[in-house]
Amino acid sequence: LPALVAPGQYSACVCSAGTCARTQDYALKVGDVHITRKPAVGVEWVFRENEVGSIEVTGSNLSMSDRIMIVNCQDTCSLQEPTRRAIVPAPFVDLAPLQDEEVTEDLARPGEYLTVRHRYCAGNDLDVQDHSSTVLRRHQCFTKCGLQRCVGSGCFCDGYFRSQDTLTSAALCLDVTECQHVCDSLGDECAGIDMHVAKPRCFLQRHACAAEAAAGGLLVSEAYSFLYRPCPEGTARAAGGCESEQAQEARRLRQARGLQAGA
């Protein structure tokens, strides 16, 4: 925003009639925009997993009522929910400002996935090229590393296999943490990950794969391990996801009635 825009609360409106060339054409209010110039911006904090760290927010006129939101590395602020992997062990503390000391940029992250080593799930890859998620298409190995030739450690192009990755390949070039972040962002659509044991390369999998893992039906692979989220307590794995005991019983009754009717 231009520096001349004063901090405060503004109405966000869209054009609902007219030529959209006049201010009065934007009469439909869709929300509010809050503008502040209190914190210093242009700073990124990247935390390593499984370690405790802290964030120092600098600016002017800050108070204990101000808050920040932590998102996953591949998420977009204001579009995604706060990360579920950040643990705040204590309430915010108003510390004296640091001057020349270095702030450690780490944060604890709990492990939420179970690992079945040297196994993979076949035939249940989530489609990447035609998926509605731009994150999947952006990190497809073929697109990011083959076509765009992304350069740098953050590209994870060590996971690009030129002889295997084509336009229709479902391989993502991301490390295990970022693959889990992407899987989490898809909610119930993604239940697990085929993760390469040595390269930043993964395939996102549907619930049928997690059911196979629970039943010991995965295929053997020296190159991949299967990671999946366990079902919450009181539920069990089904082809379409995690089901409560009541839902499982209702499904079994429907199946039994269908068999009886068919007989």
Side-chain angles (χ1 to χ4, degrees), residues 120-201:
Y120 78 103
C121 183
N124 285 283
D125 297 345
L126 282 178
D127 180 75
V128 171
Q129 190 62 36
D130 295 326
H131 199 280
S132 60
S133 172
T134 58
V135 173
L136 267 65
R137 298 196 300 273
R138 184 165 71 244
H139 293 290
Q140 182 195 35
C141 290
F142 175 76
T143 300
K144 180 170 65 173
C145 304
L147 294 181
Q148 299 175 354
R149 301 186 182 277
C150 184
V151 177
S153 60
C155 296
F156 300 110
C157 284
D158 287 350
Y160 171 53
F161 293 175
R162 187 184 303 273
S163 62
Q164 299 179 21
D165 293 328
T166 63
L167 181 64
T168 59
S169 171
L172 302 181
C173 281
L174 291 170
D175 67 5
V176 60
T177 300
E178 294 308 321
C179 284
Q180 290 176 2
H181 285 171
V182 174
C183 186
D184 290 344
S185 72
L186 298 177
D188 290 338
E189 186 179 4
C190 178
I193 302 165
D194 285 336
M195 189 74 214
H196 199 280
V197 297
K199 299 286 187 179
R201 176 182 178 86

Side-chain angles (χ1 to χ4, degrees), residues 41-53:
V41 296
V43 181
E44 293 184 356
W45 292 276
V46 180
F47 296 116
R48 293 189 294 271
E49 61 178 327
N50 299 324
E51 294 183 10
V52 177

Side-chain angles (χ1 to χ4, degrees):
L1 290 172
L4 55 84
V5 177
Q9 179 176 327
Y10 295 83
S11 296
C13 303
V14 296
C15 179
S16 57
T19 62
C20 299
R22 304 171 302 169
T23 302
Q24 53 265 38
D25 294 336
Y26 293 80
L28 179 60
K29 181 178 178 179
V30 295
D32 294 311
V33 176
H34 297 266
I35 298 176
T36 178
R37 299 198 183 280
K38 295 168 67 176
V41 296
V43 181
E44 293 184 356
W45 292 276
V46 180
F47 296 116
R48 293 189 294 271
E49 61 178 327
N50 299 324
E51 294 183 10
V52 177
S54 62
I55 292 178
E56 178 191 11
V57 180
T58 61
S60 59
N61 301 317
L62 297 174
S63 70
M64 284 297 293
S65 62
D66 295 324
R67 290 292 181 266
I68 63 173
M69 183 174 76
I70 300 174
V71 299
N72 292 328
C73 186
Q74 304 299 335
D75 289 349
T76 302
C77 291
S78 79
L79 295 181
Q80 271 80 28
E81 296 293 322
T83 180
R84 294 181 296 170
R85 300 183 181 279
I87 297 176
V88 181
F92 283 98
V93 179
D94 190 8
L95 300 175
L98 297 177
Q99 299 299 325
D100 299 321
E101 299 180 43
E102 180 181 355
V103 178
T104 303
E105 299 179 347
D106 307 312
L107 192 66
R109 171 185 170 273
E112 297 177 357
Y113 283 73
L114 300 179
T115 301
V116 184
R117 299 191 181 280
H118 299 300
R119 295 290 189 276
Y120 78 103
C121 183
N124 285 283
D125 297 345
L126 282 178
D127 180 75
V128 171
Q129 190 62 36
D130 295 326
H131 199 280
S132 60
S133 172
T134 58
V135 173
L136 267 65
R137 298 196 300 273
R138 184 165 71 244
H139 293 290
Q140 182 195 35
C141 290
F142 175 76
T143 300
K144 180 170 65 173
C145 304
L147 294 181
Q148 299 175 354
R149 301 186 182 277
C150 184
V151 177
S153 60
C155 296
F156 300 110
C157 284
D158 287 350
Y160 171 53
F161 293 175
R162 187 184 303 273
S163 62
Q164 299 179 21
D165 293 328
T166 63
L167 181 64
T168 59
S169 171
L172 302 181
C173 281
L174 291 170
D175 67 5
V176 60
T177 300
E178 294 308 321
C179 284
Q180 290 176 2
H181 285 171
V182 174
C183 186
D184 290 344
S185 72
L186 298 177
D188 290 338
E189 186 179 4
C190 178
I193 302 165
D194 285 336
M195 189 74 214
H196 199 280
V197 297
K199 299 286 187 179
R201 176 182 178 86
C202 67
F203 296 82
L204 304 185
Q205 303 295 339
R206 299 182 177 89
H207 275 282
C209 290
E212 287 185 27
L218 298 174
L219 301 180
V220 176
S221 171
E222 290 298 319
Y224 289 87
S225 291
F226 182 68
L227 286 66
Y228 71 102
R229 293 191 299 267
C231 285
E233 186 176 354
T235 66
R237 183 72 60 181
C242 298
E243 288 185 344
S244 65
E245 295 179 358
Q246 294 85 349
Q248 295 175 60
E249 183 62 26
R251 180 166 51 82
R252 284 192 289 266
L253 287 173
R254 289 194 300 270
Q255 292 173 345
R257 290 168 181 166
L259 290 174
Q260 292 174 359

